[in-house]
Amino acid sequence: MKKTKWQMRAYYLDSCNCDWGCPCQFNARPTHGNCDSVIRIHIIKGNYGSIEFARLNMAWIGSWPGPIHEGHGKISYYIDERASDDQFEALSKIITGGASGGPFAVYGSSADTVQEPRRAKIAFQARSTAQ
């Protein structure tokens, strides 16, 4: 089965309950024993085959009882309510790791409970500190 090629340039913002530097990113124990995280993505430019999805947002919320690499997590996925049905389906494949390539499959493979993507109003605002 041939996989559809995709690409994405995006602002990516994640936060978790650990100390700065996120120990799980380096195969260490989470600061407080568990990992709770939220990731927000604002797509600057991207496509899944012929489906374009610039200026849309995605988010996911995850929780693991220990470090991410030990698994047993729970993940909920959210896709911008402004997405068309085709964009929603394409972004669902990407964020859940169902599309070839990309980092998203790593998180999905570490979860026992995965909620299907839902539409949501997702705000993403960046401010420049340059003067």
Side-chain angles (χ1 to χ4, degrees):
M1 182 172 142
K2 185 176 178 181
K3 297 275 187 172
T4 301
K5 290 186 179 184
W6 65 276
Q7 62 180 349
M8 183 184 300
R9 283 188 40 216
Y11 291 116
Y12 176 94
L13 177 65
D14 67 2
S15 59
C16 68
N17 62 320
C18 285
D19 289 340
W20 184 86
C22 190
C24 284
Q25 299 289 337
F26 303 98
N27 291 331
R29 307 284 314 157
T31 304
H32 306 288
N34 68 313
C35 178
D36 293 323
S37 67
V38 176
I39 292 179
R40 280 94 43 202
I41 299 165
H42 172 74
I43 303 165
I44 299 166
K45 179 180 178 182
N47 67 286
Y48 180 86
S50 63
I51 301 167
E52 300 283 334
F53 39 74
R55 295 178 300 282
L56 293 176
N57 301 308
M58 300 189 298
W60 64 261
I61 300 169
S63 181
W64 289 263
I68 293 171
H69 62 272
E70 288 183 1
H72 307 295
K74 297 177 184 177
I75 300 177
S76 297
Y77 297 104
Y78 301 91
I79 295 173
D80 202 317
E81 67 184 5
R82 299 174 298 142
S84 70
D85 290 343
D86 287 343
Q87 290 170 322
F88 180 85
E89 289 303 317
L91 291 171
S92 292
K93 289 177 185 173
I94 291 169
I95 198 170
T96 61
S100 61
F104 300 106
V106 172
Y107 292 106
S109 68
S110 69
D112 294 342
T113 304
V114 177
Q115 179 186 48
E116 290 297 316
R118 296 181 187 185
R119 292 181 184 270
K121 184 175 184 176
I122 304 168
F124 194 109
Q125 190 173 26
R127 296 184 185 177
S128 173
T129 58
Q131 294 183 9

